[in-house]
Amino acid sequence: GVTPMANTQRSNLYYGIVTTPTWQEGGSKRGKDASGEAVFEPRTPHRGNAARALFYIAVMYRNNNSTGGRIEIPDGVETLLRKWNTDDPVDDIERKRNQVITNIQNNRNPFVDYPQLVDRIDNF
């Protein structure tokens, strides 16, 4: 799983590819991307999981102003997340995690069950 330190380091940064790290642990990195923006890069085996989780949040909270505003994914980040969704396919651990969450919260992330749904949405 993700260490508490990695969650703390990510904070509210967008995901991206870190070219100049200021922190790294277990393959995850925080730092600047090629354009100089501060971003967080999850370790390789977790990238698809992170993408699918963010797609779920974007769809579920798109028009929910009670959460403090709309959840939207910038175009450049969305392109990267779509790549991660393909490059890191759903595995048994992610399926089991989705089932555990369903048992507790009574809702599922459909992007784990059907990752091809990402291709049916043209703009998150």
Side-chain angles (χ1 to χ4, degrees):
V2 176
T3 66
M5 178 57 78
N7 281 336
T8 300
Q9 289 297 324
R10 177 174 181 255
S11 183
N12 62 350
L13 294 175
Y14 285 118
Y15 289 116
I17 301 296
V18 174
T19 57
T20 310
T22 56
W23 171 89
Q24 47 189 334
E25 180 182 299
S28 296
K29 303 174 195 170
R30 176 187 177 141
K32 304 283 183 176
D33 66 9
S35 67
E37 294 293 319
V39 296
F40 184 86
E41 180 180 343
R43 65 190 188 278
T44 302
H46 188 69
R47 290 179 183 173
N49 307 41
R52 288 180 285 276
L54 202 51
F55 291 146
Y56 173 79
I57 291 167
V59 168
M60 293 304 291
Y61 298 101
R62 174 157 295 200
N63 294 312
N64 187 346
N65 288 325
S66 68
T67 63
R70 293 170 54 107
I71 306 298
E72 295 181 358
I73 302 171
D75 292 340
V77 175
E78 181 176 333
T79 299
L80 181 61
L81 294 176
R82 287 176 181 276
K83 180 179 180 338
W84 288 353
N85 178 59
T86 301
D87 291 351
D88 175 29
V90 176
D91 59 21
D92 286 340
I93 294 170
E94 191 176 6
R95 283 186 199 93
K96 287 176 186 171
R97 183 175 186 272
N98 199 30
Q99 186 58 51
V100 168
I101 290 169
T102 300
N103 294 344
I104 295 168
Q105 297 180 351
N106 206 25
N107 60 4
R108 299 183 70 78
N109 181 341
F111 300 107
V112 173
D113 294 329
Y114 307 100
Q116 68 274 19
L117 286 176
V118 169
D119 299 330
R120 300 195 63 172
I121 298 173
D122 63 358
N123 185 356
F124 282 95

